[in-house]
Amino acid sequence: MKLEGTLLVVKDINASRRFYQDVLSRKVVLDLGVYVVFEEGLYLLTEGQWIEFLDSKSVPFNYGNNVCQLGFEDGDIDAFMAHFRKFPDIKVLTPLKEYAWGQRSIRFYDPDGHVIEVGESMTVVVKRFLRSGLSVEETMQKTMFPREFVEMCAKE
């Protein structure tokens, strides 16, 4: 069995499509009006179509419940942040910050309150630590990544 993707139920499919295209640079593979497929297995479906699929008019919708997130990685988080600032109306959940393991990330909401995280690639983090003078062992300790991964990053 293979996980094919993630489906998000949305109120306004056009607004959500624009958000994922413009803010997160996702490429549309298929648009059926009530159903949009992006590369990498992200799907949008209208609320009405979802209710129809479930054969129920009483399905509760709890948008913005903060119980899951879509995670994206970027090789240049500073460039992403410069791009992100072009969209001042997006509600930020946690501003860009560096976590104990060295990764910098930001969390914000899509138009329906789904949590989105954009973090820098851990390959970039490991390389940054190694360039700063940390040893392989110190980088392993800081990032919690195994030696094989740190050494692979060191060779790139």
Side-chain angles (χ1 to χ4, degrees):
M1 182 182 318
K2 175 183 163 192
L3 175 64
E4 285 295 318
T6 301
L7 176 101
L8 298 178
V9 176
V10 300
K11 296 175 195 170
D12 181 338
I13 200 149
N14 294 318
S16 292
R17 177 188 167 139
R18 282 190 307 275
F19 175 87
Y20 284 94
Q21 284 182 293
D22 297 348
V23 178
L24 296 170
S25 304
R26 300 297 90 194
K27 183 179 176 192
V28 173
V29 176
L30 177 68
D31 186 342
L32 300 177
V34 297
Y35 180 65
V36 175
V37 177
F38 293 92
E39 286 182 335
E40 300 175 323
L42 175 61
Y43 314 107
L44 304 178
L45 185 71
T46 62
E47 201 174 272
Q49 192 66 50
W50 183 240
I51 290 170
E52 208 174 295
F53 286 163
L54 298 179
D55 282 335
S56 173
K57 297 290 182 202
S58 62
V59 175
F61 288 90
N62 298 310
Y63 292 106
N65 59 16
N66 297 328
V67 296
C68 68
Q69 75 176 17
L70 292 179
F72 295 89
E73 283 192 345
D74 197 298
D76 187 345
I77 196 73
D78 295 318
F80 173 77
M81 289 305 298
H83 170 73
F84 183 76
R85 288 184 191 97
K86 298 174 188 172
F87 306 93
D89 294 336
I90 295 174
K91 185 177 176 189
V92 174
L93 180 60
T94 57
L96 183 69
K97 71 181 212 177
E98 185 171 324
Y99 290 88
W101 54 92
Q103 184 183 39
R104 296 180 297 154
S105 69
I106 181 173
R107 286 183 181 83
F108 49 91
Y109 295 105
D110 80 354
D112 293 290
H114 301 294
V115 177
I116 307 295
E117 177 192 33
V118 176
E120 69 186 324
S121 157
M122 284 306 295
T123 300
V124 169
V125 173
V126 167
K127 288 178 179 182
R128 184 175 71 237
F129 286 158
L130 294 170
R131 278 194 314 273
S132 76
L134 290 183
S135 67
V136 167
E137 287 74 19
E138 291 167 324
T139 301
M140 289 168 48
Q141 184 177 6
K142 177 89 172 158
T143 62
M144 299 175 281
F145 274 78
R147 176 177 299 278
E148 296 78 21
F149 181 79
V150 173
E151 288 177 345
M152 178 195 71
C153 292
K155 291 177 185 175
E156 290 182 1

